[in-house]
Amino acid sequence: MASAFRKTGISVVGDVPWGTHFCHFYETKQDLLDTLVPYFKAGLESKEYCLWVISDSELITVEEAKGALAQAVPDFGRHLAAGNIEVLNGRDWYFEKNVLNLERVKNAWDARLKRALARGYDGLRASGDTFWLAEKDWKDFFAYEKQVNDWVTAQPMTVLCTYPLAKSGAAAVLDVVQAHQFVIARRQGEWEVVETPELKQAKAEISRLNEALEQRVIDRTNELGVANEELRKEITERKQAEDELRRQKEILQKIFDHIPVMINFVEADGHIKLVNREWERTLGWSLEEIRQQNLDIFAECYPDPQYRQEVLKFVAEAKGKWADFKTRVRDGRVIDTTFVRVHLSDGTSIGIGKDITERKQAEEALDERLRFETLLTELSAAFANLTTNEVDLEIDKWLQTLAEFLGVDRASFFQFGEDWTTLYRSHSYTVPGIEPLPPPPIGMKEQFPWITDQLRRGVIVKWSRIPDDMPEEAAKEKEYAAKLGVKSGLNIPVLMGGSVICAITFTSIITYHDWPDAMVARLRLVGEIFAAAVERKRAEAALRKSEEQFRQMAENIREVFWLTTADLSKMLYISPAYEAVWGQSRESLYREPRSFFAAIHPEDRPNVVAIVERDREQGFEVEYRVVRPEGSIRHIRDRGFPIRDESGRFYRVAGIAEDITERKRAEEKLKTTSEQLRALTARLRSAREEESIRIAREIHDELGSMLTSLKWDLEEIQKTLSTPVDQSQLAAVREKLSALMNLDDKAISALRRIASDLRPSVLDDLGLVAAIEWQAQQFQARTGIVCVWDCSLEKVELTEEQSTAVFRIFQETLTNILRHAQATRVDIKLKKDDNYFVLSISDDGKGITEQEKSEQQSLGILGMRERAYLIGGEIDIQGVAGKGTVVIVRVPLSGQERVLKATR
């Protein structure tokens, strides 16, 4: 197998020989892509067959993996089409019928390798992820990894196994390290390399080979007399050992050049002998520059003589312990480093180090955050149980604490005025030695108009370098800063409920100060705690004011306002009107809350108690009577409603009890008056009907008889004159007689029509059913509107008054159809329904509207409703636009109880 090194594409690893089996621990999906995409890109560029087995679609899908490669490899589509790379799902690779089959996986690796070599590839580059790996499969998988490690060593393969840190415990990590040649990890964007058994093995192997070589030289010297064949064999073995040694040295050199830690060799005289690439990259000097310029690298990196002596002492002692240093690099920056040094037998010391600047910064940031969170916890606890009188003093105290903690010269707290437009300073602290601000309250608008406007809009204003950071619009702010010598400033708006209600500010006058976003966020929390305390103070003041206003209102209204606990066991408040309405003292009700119910009339009490008990959480309205101590009765209308706290919990019941006694009396009086008015109206209608009957009878009996006699006389004359007479006289007499007869016929017809209109005789002679049928026929003949009759009743058991009213309603309905409906058909149905006579008249006209019913309420429709009401019946009128109108009259049959419905 060729021993050529292969490019991994991973900066921290560099080049590795065939047979390399290593692993990678990652934290995020992006860490995984950042490692594997360049890894496979290097393989494709090196004529290697590539196989990427992804773990699970929960982490990354096949399509996402291909997409990431397509972005990094310009001609990825060609590679994919040519079969230079495969991207497979881990479930398909490791499992067979949902069962882990590692023997099948080993065979698959071998088959892929053989196929790659047969197709002319230099070798196989593979990666498999273990995100899918469950705890129950770990033991079998670890044994499989060891087998792969032993097998890969002799193959033209490079295998990178990837493990998620989040799913790997300490024991699992140790197992993984033992099953691979070396391990790399990427955490929070930083590489870490663990010295692996492979590296240790390489070093031990070199030592062992050297010793073996020396021993073989001694042995071969003592065996010079051995035959030439044995000598040639020995030479061959020695050459193989030398080749192996060179290979091991080459491996060590690659590791030396590419390991992500600084390595340097310092001779006994203190001169740098050798450095690796990471040392040169981190510190900025190359070994060649140091030698050519004869640089004292320790003086360059540690310019302070006293500090440099400490460093040189650490180098000289080389105790093998880690120590941290502040190291200056070539560009003048000072970075944090950590080094460990060990001695070699020739006096040379080896230094191994890392740039830990970012780690130190993270540790310092974490320490600052922890200290601030501790301070924030103490601040929250301090404000948790404050009385409103203590709020101002506590804010002043904590402004001082914050100024000292942050190292600034002034801390202030601003609030909006009652108009919610003016921002004024209510609290402030200035460190000793700086001129303090005038005592509050001081408005902010005049001195800082631009900042005020930004804060009102919820914008944070932070300037680390004044005046360089200040915009041109902040002219007055620049003038103020120049006057006081302000170097940095931070102004944070505090929002509650989506609105800015106050602001907290910090000012540095002596030194410049940076304002990191994390610090600003934490300080905003401080502002919110201050704001909550101020708001609570304002709310309590507003509550006291509101309670006073409520008390004044409740004590001056005629209604009785009451407030109880949720279970009605305690009366919390009752207004003075209670004594005037109930006739009892408020003190008695406070002592015995149930006396509220005891005063309710015995007939009303059970219903009232049931309603209140049942509906107090939803609200209720109930009317009842109260019996006063002297026996008089008052009518009450009581409305109760629930009161809930901020969490929605029901904890109070309130209500307003209104004395409606006078209104009840007025309603009773109005009801009596209305009944009297209805009786009077009925009497008038009855009288009108009687008069109509009388007139109809007289016209029919007297005038009809007289006209009939006239007709008989005229017929006799006509007969007499039919004998021979003078022809001219005869013609004249006949013409006159004919005219008289026509006139007589018209008079009789008119007489009958008038009598019928006043009261159809058929109603009295044949009954209501026949009268309605006759009226429908007359209506059809007169109007041309088709009337369809549907009646199975022969006789209806209605009183004369009921029959007349129903007939008049029917007549009025037909009149309305003719005038308004624009109908072509009317359906008339008469039936008996559960001891009720029901008359239904429906048309196919335009349909009456609610507005039209209201407009005619005082005319025809009102009259129809009044007629129905007076006979104990009811009438319902419904219209559908474009489909017609239906009028239904229901009248109780004779002997049945009348139904009076207020549907008018």
Side-chain angles (χ1 to χ4, degrees):
M1 181 181 69
S3 60
F5 278 73
R6 316 300 295 183
K7 295 183 181 298
T8 63
I10 306 171
S11 60
V12 72
V13 177
D15 299 343
V16 296
W18 283 124
T20 299
H21 178 221
F22 63 109
C23 72
H24 167 226
F25 285 99
Y26 62 92
E27 278 191 327
T28 66
K29 170 182 174 181
Q30 192 58 47
D31 287 340
L32 185 63
L33 290 174
D34 289 346
T35 303
L36 291 183
V37 169
Y39 172 76
F40 283 113
K41 179 182 178 184
L44 291 172
E45 293 172 349
S46 301
K47 197 182 175 184
E48 296 177 22
Y49 176 74
C50 297
L51 176 60
W52 185 358
V53 180
I54 67 172
S55 179
D56 198 319
S57 59
E58 292 180 0
L59 177 66
I60 181 173
T61 65
V62 171
E63 293 305 318
E64 287 178 331
K66 290 180 180 179
L69 285 169
Q71 292 182 356
V73 181
D75 54 347
F76 177 73
R78 178 181 62 81
H79 285 293
L80 193 62
N84 297 337
I85 183 170
E86 287 183 87
V87 182
L88 304 177
N89 187 288
R91 298 296 300 182
D92 298 333
W93 182 257
Y94 290 105
F95 289 80
E96 182 177 18
K97 297 180 180 180
N98 291 324
V99 176
L100 183 64
N101 190 340
L102 297 176
E103 189 64 28
R104 172 175 167 268
V105 174
K106 289 188 289 184
N107 294 335
W109 287 122
D110 185 64
R112 286 295 198 288
L113 175 60
K114 290 178 180 178
R115 187 172 66 184
L117 296 176
R119 292 176 58 187
Y121 292 96
D122 288 351
L124 171 65
R125 176 173 300 222
S127 176
D129 187 57
T130 60
F131 189 87
W132 57 269
L133 186 57
E135 185 175 353
K136 65 183 180 63
D137 298 323
W138 176 251
K139 183 177 180 180
D140 293 338
F141 192 82
F142 173 60
Y144 154 80
E145 281 277 40
K146 284 189 171 182
Q147 294 175 15
V148 171
N149 190 57
D150 296 337
W151 175 68
V152 166
T153 305
Q155 306 298 331
M157 291 179 65
T158 303
V159 180
L160 171 56
C161 302
T162 56
Y163 288 78
L165 273 172
K167 297 180 66 175
S168 302
V173 171
L174 291 175
D175 289 344
V176 171
V177 171
Q178 292 178 14
H180 295 81
Q181 296 170 14
F182 62 93
V183 177
I184 60 174
R186 185 172 177 86
R187 299 177 59 192
Q188 301 178 350
E190 291 296 319
W191 286 107
E192 294 183 13
V193 176
V194 178
E195 187 176 8
T196 66
E198 177 67 20
L199 184 57
K200 294 178 179 178
Q201 182 181 354
K203 293 178 179 179
E205 182 66 14
I206 292 172
S207 177
R208 185 188 65 78
L209 290 174
N210 282 331
E211 292 175 0
L213 180 60
E214 291 177 0
Q215 184 61 42
R216 280 196 294 271
V217 170
I218 295 172
D219 292 341
R220 295 305 180 267
T221 302
N222 296 330
E223 297 173 358
L224 289 176
V226 179
N228 289 337
E229 185 63 32
E230 293 179 355
L231 180 59
R232 282 195 299 269
K233 181 179 179 181
E234 180 66 24
I235 293 173
T236 301
E237 290 178 356
R238 181 171 181 175
K239 188 175 185 310
Q240 291 175 348
E242 290 174 348
D243 290 341
E244 179 65 16
L245 180 60
R246 282 194 299 271
R247 189 179 77 84
Q248 296 296 337
K249 287 183 177 180
E250 185 177 4
I251 292 173
L252 289 176
Q253 184 63 46
K254 288 296 182 182
I255 294 173
F256 181 77
D257 288 340
H258 296 92
I259 194 169
V261 294
M262 295 182 286
I263 302 176
N264 63 60
F265 290 76
V266 178
E267 295 176 333
D269 59 3
H271 288 87
I272 294 290
K273 181 179 180 180
L274 183 65
V275 297
N276 69 345
R277 295 177 185 176
E278 181 66 14
W279 190 96
E280 293 178 337
R281 185 193 67 79
T282 303
L283 300 183
W285 290 279
S286 68
L287 181 61
E288 184 178 359
E289 288 175 324
I290 295 173
R291 289 173 175 173
Q292 289 179 352
Q293 299 176 22
N294 196 24
L295 291 177
D296 183 350
I297 197 63
F298 290 101
E300 296 289 338
C301 292
Y302 308 101
D304 180 75
Q306 184 176 353
Y307 191 65
R308 183 164 64 251
Q309 288 303 315
E310 294 179 9
V311 174
L312 292 173
K313 180 181 178 182
F314 170 79
V315 173
E317 292 178 349
K319 295 180 178 180
K321 295 182 179 180
W322 289 92
D324 295 344
F325 299 96
K326 293 287 186 180
T327 304
R328 188 178 71 174
V329 299
R330 183 169 185 172
D331 60 11
R333 292 179 298 111
V334 176
I335 66 173
D336 289 287
T337 60
T338 183
F339 278 94
V340 63
R341 301 201 72 87
V342 293
H343 272 304
L344 299 181
S345 59
D346 62 355
T348 303
S349 67
I350 302 177
I352 301 174
K354 290 186 66 175
D355 179 359
I356 59 171
T357 304
E358 292 184 0
R359 191 188 78 188
K360 281 285 188 180
Q361 291 174 347
E363 290 173 353
E364 291 171 359
L366 177 61
D367 179 66
E368 180 185 356
R369 190 187 76 182
L370 292 175
R371 289 191 300 115
F372 195 93
E373 288 178 353
T374 301
L375 181 134
L376 192 62
T377 301
E378 295 173 356
L379 187 150
S380 300
F383 277 82
N385 300 308
L386 283 182
T387 65
T388 54
N389 295 330
E390 298 172 318
V391 169
D392 292 327
L393 290 176
E394 199 68 20
I395 291 177
D396 288 335
K397 168 189 169 183
W398 281 97
L399 285 176
Q400 176 179 350
T401 302
L402 287 168
E404 294 170 351
F405 180 86
L406 297 172
V408 298
D409 302 308
R410 179 173 294 140
S412 302
F413 184 64
F414 291 80
Q415 301 179 48
F416 274 104
E418 293 184 358
D419 58 359
W420 291 102
T421 59
T422 303
L423 198 62
Y424 69 94
R425 177 172 52 79
S426 59
H427 303 79
S428 183
Y429 170 77
T430 304
V431 299
I434 302 295
E435 182 179 354
L437 295 172
I442 298 295
M444 197 174 176
K445 183 71 174 177
E446 293 74 17
Q447 284 183 320
F448 314 111
W450 187 84
I451 292 179
T452 302
D453 182 62
Q454 297 300 304
L455 293 176
R456 287 180 58 190
R457 291 193 287 118
V459 178
I460 296 172
V461 179
K462 57 178 182 178
W463 296 323
S464 298
R465 300 291 184 272
I466 293 177
D468 297 344
D469 294 347
M470 303 176 76
E472 293 297 328
E473 297 86 348
K476 284 197 173 183
E477 285 81 355
K478 282 187 177 181
E479 180 181 341
Y480 179 85
K483 179 180 178 182
L484 296 185
V486 177
K487 289 184 169 56
S488 301
L490 173 64
N491 303 269
I492 304 173
V494 179
L495 291 80
M496 292 189 72
S499 300
V500 179
I501 65 166
C502 56
I504 187 169
T505 71
F506 301 92
T507 306
S508 183
I509 298 174
I510 303 301
T511 61
Y512 291 106
H513 204 291
D514 292 325
W515 313 107
D517 291 341
M519 177 192 296
V520 173
R522 291 193 287 269
L523 292 174
R524 187 195 287 272
L525 292 177
V526 173
E528 290 174 356
I529 294 174
F530 287 177
V534 171
E535 279 299 289
R536 180 160 56 86
K537 180 180 177 182
R538 288 178 177 174
E540 291 184 6
L543 178 61
R544 287 193 297 271
K545 181 178 179 181
S546 176
E547 288 175 344
E548 177 60 24
Q549 293 174 342
F550 167 77
R551 186 188 63 77
Q552 294 179 13
M553 179 195 71
E555 293 181 359
N556 288 280
I557 61 175
R558 291 185 299 174
E559 289 80 7
V560 178
F561 178 81
W562 52 269
L563 179 67
T564 75
T565 55
D567 60 359
L568 308 176
S569 63
K570 183 179 181 181
M571 182 64 66
L572 302 175
Y573 178 79
I574 190 76
S575 65
Y578 170 78
E579 297 181 346
V581 177
W582 260 255
Q584 300 183 35
S585 68
R586 290 191 292 168
E587 288 72 16
S588 66
L589 184 60
Y590 287 132
R591 288 194 304 270
E592 183 50 57
R594 303 300 293 188
S595 65
F596 189 94
F597 292 110
I600 297 175
H601 196 286
E603 295 178 1
D604 300 340
R605 190 182 305 139
N607 182 51
V608 174
V609 172
I611 290 174
V612 174
E613 292 284 355
R614 184 190 67 220
D615 298 335
R616 65 179 185 271
E617 288 193 43
Q618 290 78 34
F620 60 85
E621 182 172 332
V622 62
E623 292 187 7
Y624 53 86
R625 292 166 292 172
V626 169
V627 181
R628 291 165 55 90
E630 81 280 4
S632 63
I633 293 177
R634 307 298 293 180
H635 290 269
I636 306 298
R637 178 171 176 262
D638 205 340
R639 287 166 290 172
F641 48 90
I643 299 178
R644 304 182 187 278
D645 58 20
E646 294 180 353
S647 66
R649 181 180 63 88
F650 164 64
Y651 77 113
R652 295 282 189 273
V653 185
I656 298 176
E658 179 185 2
D659 184 355
I660 59 172
T661 305
E662 297 303 322
R663 191 182 76 188
K664 281 287 185 180
R665 290 173 180 170
E667 288 176 353
E668 289 296 329
K669 184 177 180 181
L670 178 62
K671 182 179 179 180
T672 301
T673 303
S674 297
E675 290 294 338
Q676 293 173 347
L677 180 61
R678 279 199 171 94
L680 179 60
T681 302
R683 183 70 188 95
L684 291 174
R685 283 192 175 134
S686 177
R688 189 164 57 249
E689 289 291 342
E690 292 174 0
E691 182 67 15
S692 297
I693 293 171
R694 186 187 62 78
I695 293 172
R697 184 178 294 114
E698 289 179 358
I699 292 174
H700 182 271
D701 295 344
E702 297 180 14
L703 185 57
S705 298
M706 189 168 50
L707 290 175
T708 302
S709 298
L710 177 60
K711 180 180 180 181
W712 288 342
D713 291 341
L714 291 174
E715 287 177 347
E716 185 65 28
I717 292 172
Q718 184 181 30
K719 182 177 180 182
T720 303
L721 291 176
S722 63
T723 58
V725 293
D726 181 75
Q727 294 297 322
S728 60
Q729 292 176 342
L730 183 59
V733 170
R734 286 178 175 171
E735 183 178 352
K736 184 175 181 180
L737 290 174
S738 178
L740 287 172
M741 291 178 69
N742 289 335
L743 179 61
D744 182 68
D745 290 335
K746 290 179 180 179
I748 293 173
S749 177
L751 179 64
R752 289 175 177 170
R753 179 176 54 78
I754 292 171
S756 176
D757 289 341
L758 289 172
R759 180 175 178 82
S761 59
V762 68
L763 183 61
D764 295 323
D765 297 338
L766 302 179
L768 177 62
V769 175
I772 291 176
E773 183 177 10
W774 172 81
Q775 184 66 50
Q777 293 171 353
Q778 293 292 314
F779 179 80
Q780 178 175 319
R782 186 171 71 252
T783 64
I785 299 174
V786 176
C787 293
V788 179
W789 174 258
D790 181 3
C791 176
S792 60
L793 301 177
E794 294 180 1
K795 184 178 180 181
V796 181
E797 297 176 358
L798 296 178
T799 65
E800 182 179 344
E801 179 187 8
Q802 288 176 319
S803 298
T804 301
V806 171
F807 185 79
R808 294 304 183 192
I809 291 171
F810 179 68
Q811 283 185 316
E812 183 65 29
T813 301
L814 293 180
T815 300
N816 288 338
I817 291 173
L818 178 62
R819 290 178 179 175
H820 309 292
Q822 301 176 10
T824 61
R825 175 184 170 123
V826 178
D827 290 270
I828 305 160
K829 295 181 181 180
L830 280 76
K831 64 179 181 179
K832 181 179 178 182
D833 182 18
D834 193 21
N835 294 321
Y836 281 87
F837 168 77
V838 181
L839 169 63
S840 171
I841 310 108
S842 59
D843 63 65
D844 63 351
K846 65 180 184 178
I848 190 170
T849 65
E850 292 297 323
Q851 182 178 0
E852 288 173 338
K853 286 194 286 186
S854 300
E855 289 175 351
Q856 298 187 18
Q857 188 74 13
S858 62
L859 301 176
I861 294 178
L862 178 60
M864 293 163 63
R865 293 190 186 279
E866 287 295 328
R867 287 181 186 274
Y869 179 84
L870 291 173
I871 61 174
E874 61 181 355
I875 185 169
D876 181 54
I877 303 173
Q878 298 294 333
V880 178
K883 294 186 177 182
T885 303
V886 178
V887 178
I888 299 176
V889 183
R890 288 173 56 88
V891 180
L893 297 174
S894 298
Q896 300 299 317
E897 184 177 333
R898 291 188 172 187
V899 178
L900 301 179
K901 291 192 177 180
T903 57
R904 301 172 295 133

